[in-house]
Structure formats: C-alpha cells, structure tokens
Amino acid sequence: MKKILSLFLVMALLLSVGSALAEKVGISMPTKSLQRWNEDGEYLQKEFEAAGYEVELQYAGDNDVPTQIAQLETMLLNECDVLVITAIEANALGNVLATAKENGVKVVCHDRIILDTPAVDYYATFDNFQVGEIQGQYVVDTLDLANGAGPFNIEFLAGDPGDNNATYFFNGGISKVQEYLDNGQLVCVSGQTGFDQVATPSWKTETAQARMDDIIASYYSDGTPLHVVLCSNDSTAQGATNALVAAGFKAGEDYPIITGQDCDIASVKNIVKGLQAMSIFKDTRILAARTVQMVNSVLAGEEVEVNSVVPNNVLDVPTFYCTPLFADVNNYQELLIESGYYTADQLAD
Ligand code: BGC
C-alpha cells in the first residue's frame, strides 16, 4: 500500500512539474459564426496540446473588437508566453500588444496580419493575393476571355474593410479581370467596381445578400443577363446565392459563375448543386501545423522558417505563405473527401 501511495506521489509531482514547465499559448479567434474559425481554433488547440503546450483559446463574441482586446489582456494576466491572434480589425490591437512586448510575450499573426504596431513577431497565412488571382483566373478561363469571348456581365462582392486580407483578395481578383473590364469583354452593369463600393463589413452573409438583392432589383430584373459574381469568400458567395435563388435564377439555366473561398460545407454543397462554381481550398490543418511550428521555433530560440515578408506599416513581418488551391465540381471529391478533410456524410444533403 505504502509503495502504491509513494508511486502516486511521485506521479503527481512529475505532473505538477510538467505543467509548471509547460509553455502557455493564448489563441485569440474572431468569431464562432463562420465555420472557418471554428476549424482553425480546433486544429490549433489540438496541435498545440499535442506538442505539450497549455492552451487558452478564446473567441471574441461575434467579431467584437473590445472583447478581443479584453481577452488578450486576460491572456497576458494569465501569463501566456505567446499569443496567436487572428485579428478582427487589423489596426486595433496596438495598445494590448505593446503590453505583450513589454512583457516579452511573442506574437504570431494567424491568417490575418496585424497592422501599425512593432509588437508582431511572425505571420503564418496563405498567399492572399494569390487567392484572388486564382478566383479571377477561374473566371477568365471559364468564360474563355483570353480568346475574345464576351461581352459578359460581372458584379463584385468583396470582404471586410477592417481585414487586411480582404484588399489582397480583391486586388488579386481584379488583377486578372481588369484588362477585360477595360476592353469591354466584361461589363459591370452596376458600375460598382471600387473596393469601398463592394466591401462587406464583417464578411456577413446577410449584408452581402442585401447588396445583391439591390443590384438584381436595380440592374438585372429586366432580363439583363448576369454572368459572374466575383465573391471573395464563401460567406459572401452564400449571400449572392441566396439573393439569386430568391430572385428566381436557376442552376444550369441563367445562373452566374460564383467564386468563393474556404470550402465551407454549405458552399461545397452549393458547388455540387450548381449554385456556386468554385471555392478556394485553404487546408486549415496545414496552416495550424505551420503556426505551431513557428511558435516552437520562436520559443526555442531557433531560426523560424519563413518564405516571405509582409509590411505592417511599421516593420516587414517575417511570413510563411501556405499555398491555396481551388475546388470545383470536378475535383472536390479528391481534394476534400479523399484527403480526409470532410467525410462524404458531411457533404451529403
Ligand atoms: C480569411 C478568409 C475568411 C474571411 C472571413 C479572411 O481573413 O482569410 O479565409 O473567409 O476572413 O472570415
């Protein structure tokens, strides 16, 4: 009995020493309302815990900036050694990150860069300009614009102006279609082609849908065909789809090409039904593993593997860009099901 007791004591001691030594990571995610961030949070937590970290994971309500700041302050009070942050507003975290820096806490931006502060150490993301380029090129190829086809009518739905990624996506997309807007093969009937005109605050589906409702009513209700809605991600694409379906557009008949990003389950189902043409696939398992690898190297004082830099208005942040791919009806099974990202059941209606 005594032996067993002392074995327990030794084990308890080892466990407490282990947890006292475990580094602590604070993970700050923007919202639970999009599938994307639930997955990122889940994969990050799993990977960090598997690597022996103690994890504090917080979601900032539904994209609430003061909540994100308060949660980061609490993580600092709770003595996190490193913060992994997906910022809601790119330039709203300067003060809390100044405190982090004063306390020697490292900061890694996850997916979205944080601007206007020197208190950022590294950035792991997908190549956001390339995301937009793939979306734009998909439109160019599908409509055969390079061979002079057209004219075709196009509208745009971009992302949240506070999210620096949103301008990269939009500019990447525009870089591929601009020459066809200029030569008249593409016509934006609403005339709304500036980022500020087509942005969607907080990336909300309902906001995108309301704008698309207006555009259809004002410019396409007289039978003018709509051939493309270049949407920056799936939450905006779903807004476009809802508006089009409500207005009576039918898959396989008068339905436009709709681009997207994230391969949300709802959007992949729409791809299968012909209600969305494609979505960018950013394998969040790969991004989570990359962020964890970065944190490991930072805390071990080792060289951090990067392949780019992204300016944040104060410094060039050393960055690792993962590669985005695209999914459509032809490859989604291989890319999303055979890779183990989703089960066939999750995509069944
Ligand atoms: C991410 C996208 C996502 C969007 C809305 C962006 O910062 O890169 O993957 O669709 O935010 O949450």
Side-chain angles (χ1 to χ4, degrees), residues 149-160:
F152 298 107
N153 296 333
I154 183 168
E155 299 294 338
F156 298 88
L157 275 174
D160 181 5

Side-chain angles (χ1 to χ4, degrees), residues 18 84 111 143 160 196 198 211 252 296 338 341:
V84 169
D111 195 81
L143 294 178
D160 181 5
D196 292 342
V198 304
R211 184 165 163 265
N296 280 338
E338 285 162 32
Y341 199 75

Side-chain angles (χ1 to χ4, degrees), residues 46 115 190 192 225 256 280 290 301 308 311 323 343 349:
K46 205 160 75 188
L115 298 176
S190 73
Q192 297 168 18
I280 299 291
R290 175 55 60 179
S308 194
T323 307
T343 61
D349 240 353

Side-chain angles (χ1 to χ4, degrees), residues 39-349:
E39 277 171 9
D40 282 64
E42 186 189 319
Y43 290 137
L44 282 167
Q45 177 162 28
K46 205 160 75 188
E47 292 271 342
F48 273 117
E49 284 177 353
Y53 290 84
E54 200 183 322
V55 172
E56 183 170 336
L57 168 64
Q58 296 287 354
Y59 285 83
D62 186 5
N63 288 310
D64 188 55
V65 175
T67 302
Q68 183 159 49
I69 293 171
Q71 288 173 339
L72 288 166
E73 283 166 352
T74 306
M75 287 173 189
L76 293 176
L77 288 174
N78 291 346
E79 300 188 334
C80 285
D81 302 283
V82 59
L83 299 176
V84 169
I85 306 172
T86 301
I88 299 164
E89 287 284 341
N91 57 7
L93 301 180
N95 289 342
V96 63
L97 294 194
T99 312
K101 198 171 170 66
E102 277 160 27
N103 288 288
V105 174
K106 299 290 181 193
V107 173
V108 174
C109 303
H110 179 83
D111 195 81
R112 299 177 178 168
I113 189 83
I114 300 171
L115 298 176
D116 302 332
T117 166
V120 159
D121 296 285
Y122 289 94
Y123 179 29
T125 191
F126 288 85
D127 186 331
N128 295 306
F129 191 79
Q130 196 187 355
V131 166
E133 286 181 315
I134 298 172
Q135 293 168 330
Q137 190 61 45
Y138 186 90
V139 171
V140 171
D141 292 345
T142 310
L143 294 178
D144 202 20
L145 296 176
N147 288 318
F152 298 107
N153 296 333
I154 183 168
E155 299 294 338
F156 298 88
L157 275 174
D160 181 5
D163 174 358
N164 200 53
N165 287 353
T167 40
Y168 279 93
F169 302 145
F170 181 71
N171 291 339
I174 286 285
S175 75
K176 294 292 178 181
V177 299
Q178 186 65 57
E179 64 175 292
Y180 303 107
L181 286 167
D182 292 343
N183 74 9
Q185 278 176 266
L186 288 176
V187 179
C188 180
V189 179
S190 73
Q192 297 168 18
T193 54
F195 177 77
D196 292 342
Q197 294 171 299
V198 304
T200 311
S202 299
W203 294 96
K204 288 277 177 206
T205 296
E206 310 83 73
T207 312
Q209 183 172 342
R211 184 165 163 265
M212 202 62 221
D213 284 337
D214 283 350
I215 286 179
I216 295 169
S218 307
Y219 304 99
Y220 296 94
S221 56
D222 59 357
T224 303
L226 174 57
H227 301 102
V228 185
V229 189
L230 188 56
C231 300
S232 288
N233 83 334
D234 284 349
S235 61
T236 51
Q238 286 159 29
T241 297
N242 295 346
L244 288 160
V245 169
F249 286 78
K250 299 236 166 1
E253 294 177 22
D254 53 358
Y255 203 81
I257 297 167
I258 296 188
T259 61
Q261 163 176 209
D262 293 335
C263 285
D264 280 2
I265 290 177
S267 279
V268 180
K269 287 181 176 177
N270 281 344
I271 289 177
V272 176
K273 288 187 215 149
L275 293 172
Q276 182 172 325
M278 60 85 83
S279 183
I280 299 291
F281 178 47
K282 303 198 297 194
D283 191 330
T284 47
R285 297 170 299 189
I286 291 177
L287 182 61
R290 175 55 60 179
T291 296
V292 174
Q293 185 181 326
M294 258 182 180
V295 168
N296 280 338
S297 306
V298 174
L299 293 183
E302 289 163 4
E303 197 181 320
V304 178
E305 191 187 347
V306 290
N307 57 16
S308 194
V309 289
V310 174
N312 85 339
N313 300 333
V314 178
L315 44 92
D316 284 339
V317 183
T319 296
F320 193 96
Y321 274 140
C322 304
T323 307
L325 302 169
F326 80 83
D328 67 5
V329 75
N330 299 312
N331 71 355
Y332 79 95
Q333 285 190 321
E334 184 186 344
L335 202 60
L336 302 176
I337 301 177
E338 285 162 32
S339 75
Y341 199 75
Y342 292 134
T343 61
D345 278 356
Q346 284 175 293
L347 300 182
D349 240 353

